[in-house]
Amino acid sequence: AATSSAGVTTNPKTVEINGKKYTTDSWFNVSSTTLSLTSRKLHLQKDHPVAITRKIIESVFPGPTYRYYNDFDPVVSTYENFDSLGFPPDHPGRARTDTYYINKDTLLRTHTSAHEAELFRTTASGGYLISADVYRRDEVDRSHYPVFHQMEGARVWDRNKVPNGDLAAAVLADLERLPKHDMTVEDPNPPFHPERNPLQAEYHTEAEAAAVAAHLKRSLELMVNEIFSRARAAAAAAAAAEAAAGRGAKKGKPATPPSDGSGSADEPLRVRWVEAYFPFTSPSWELEVFYQGDWLEVLGCGVSKQELHVQAGRPSQMGWAFGIGLERIAMLLFKIPDIRLFWSRDERFLSQFRGVEDDLTRIRPFVPFSKHPACYKDVSFWLKGASAAGGNLGGAVDWHENDLMEVVRDAAGDCVEDVRLVDEFTHPKTGRRSLCYRINYRSLEKTLTNQETNEMHNRVVKGLVERLGVEIR
Ligand code: FA5
Ligand code: MG
C-alpha cells in the first residue's frame, strides 16, 4: 500500500465505527489508537468528570426551552463539518494534517458545530445543547489529546412568532427572566472589526443583534459562574476537611485554599470577552477566565450568521450559538492536572468521582496519586527531500509535526506524556534540515521497564522511517 503524506502505511479497505462500516480511500488517516476511542463516549459515562461537567452545564440551560442531544455519531460528512458552516475550500482546518478523514467525503467531526445545520432545520423554537466526542490531529502534551469533548449550545427566536414581530423586545424580555450574577466581567463589549465580524445589516437591525448578543453573554456568564462557584465550594470543603484532620479537635478557621482564581472564596472570579472569528457567527467572541495567573480561553460563540438560518429553511429565525471544551472545564473544576487521566480506567482515578453526578455538592478537587517515573528519549533525524531550493522548510517536502505526533501515538499510545522539539539544524552546505525531538515516556498506570520503553521508542523510530521517510542521525 502507498504511504500517504498523512503518515499511514497500510489503509484498511473498510473500518467499522460504532457498528457502522465505512469504505476508506487514499484520504484515510485515522490511527488505530484514535479509532479505538470512538466507542468510549466519556460524556455519557455515569460519574465520569466529563459527564459531571456536562450535567452542570445542562443545568444552566434547562428544558423544555433547551433540548439535549448527547448521542450523535462522530462520523460526519466533510460537508456537515465544514461546507455547511461556510468554511472556505482552502481553510487550514480542512487539512489532512489537522483532521481525521475516513475518506474524502467522510471524517471524524472536529467540532460539535458539525450538527448545527441539521439542528437549525429541526429547531422550531427555543434552543438545544449537544455534547459529543470530537477529534483533532494535534500535538501531545498535558492539555492536548486527539480526542476531547465539546458541548454546543444554540438558541433561536422567530420574528414571525414574537409579539408585534419585535424580535429585539422579545429577546430582551427573555434576558430579563434570566438570573443575575455578581461576577466581574472585564471588557463586556470589546470593540469588533466589521471586516471580520460584519453586522449582517441586510438581515437584521443593530438592536436585534445587540439583544441576541446580550442574551448570549449573560447565559454564558451564568454558566461560568455556576462552574466556578462549584469549584470554589469544592476547594473550600477540601480545605476545611484538611484543617479539621490536621488540627484535631481544635476548630479554627479553615485553611485558605491556594489562590489560583478558582479556589479562594474571597478572590472574585474574573472573566472577559474578546473578539474572535468563526465562519458561522458574526459578531463572534471568546470568553476567557483568569486562572492560575493567566487568561484561559474556555469557549467560542457568536450571533449565528443568517445564511445558516436561510439554508435551514427558517429565514425568519435568528439567534446565538456557542461551543465549549468539556475537558478544559473539568480540569478547572476538579483540578485534574493531565488530560490523559480522563481516559484512565484506573480505580484510583474513577473512584474519586463516584456518586458526584447525583449530588454535585460532593465535588472535591482530584487528589493525584503517585506518578510513575518519567523516561526521556531523544530521536534525531534528517527530513527527506534534501535540497536547499525547497524554501523556508530547508528543502523538506511535506513535513508536518502532527504526522510525527500520530506516529508516536500509534507506537506508544498513552505512555507518552509529552513530545517536544529540542533542536533543529540546517546543514549550511546541503541545506538539509535535521530535527531532534525529546519524548517523555511515562505511564499513568505503572512504572515502565527499560525494556518496555526501549521497545516503544524503537517502534517510534521505525514508524518515523517507514511512514515519514526520515533518515535517523
Ligand atoms: C470551535 O470548535 C467552534 N465550533 C466553537 C463555536 C461554536 C463557535 C458555535 C461559535 C459558535 P474552537 O476550535 O475554538 O471553536 O474550540 C472551542 C472550544 O473547545 C475552545 O474554546 C476550548 O475550550 C475547546 N478546545 C479547543 N481545542 C481544544 C483542545 N485541543 N483540547 C481541549 N479543548 C479544546
Ligand atoms: Mg479557539
Side-chain angles (χ1 to χ4, degrees), residues 190 192 213 216-217 273-276 278 283-287 299-302:
F192 51 86
L216 166 67
K217 286 176 175 168
W273 292 99
V274 297
E275 184 186 17
F278 300 100
S284 312
W285 296 275
E286 280 165 356
L287 181 59
L299 61 85
C301 67

Side-chain angles (χ1 to χ4, degrees), residues 111 113 136 138 143-144 148 150 152 278 280-281 297-301 321-325 328:
H111 56 173
S113 305
R136 296 183 190 180
D138 210 337
S143 60
H144 291 85
F148 60 100
Q150 277 190 342
E152 180 113 350
F278 300 100
F280 40 96
T281 51
E297 174 204 323
V298 296
L299 61 85
C301 67
F322 74 87
I324 188 167
R328 209 164 270 188

Side-chain angles (χ1 to χ4, degrees), residues 324-355:
I324 188 167
L326 285 178
E327 277 84 350
R328 209 164 270 188
I329 297 298
M331 285 172 93
L332 303 180
L333 181 58
F334 295 99
K335 296 196 196 304
I336 293 174
D338 187 322
I339 199 164
R340 294 179 308 161
L341 279 163
F342 290 107
W343 300 92
S344 172
R345 300 180 196 261
D346 192 322
E347 267 301 299
R348 291 176 301 171
F349 178 73
L350 296 172
S351 65
Q352 296 197 25
F353 311 100
R354 227 152 258 148

Side-chain angles (χ1 to χ4, degrees), residues 28 34 37 41 56 72 90 199 216 227 259 305 321 342 382 387 398 401 429:
F28 181 79
T34 300
L37 298 177
K41 302 182 185 181
I56 294 175
F72 284 145
D90 60 349
L199 171 66
L216 166 67
I227 287 161
S259 159
K305 276 197 184 160
F342 290 107
W382 295 106
S387 125
D398 225 15
E401 190 173 89
K429 291 226 176 70

Side-chain angles (χ1 to χ4, degrees), residues 27-39:
W27 279 64
F28 181 79
N29 66 351
V30 192
S31 65
S32 48
T33 319
T34 300
L35 265 184
S36 73
L37 298 177
T38 53
S39 59

Side-chain angles (χ1 to χ4, degrees), residues 207-219:
E208 287 167 338
V212 169
H215 191 279
L216 166 67
K217 286 176 175 168
R218 171 82 67 79
S219 302

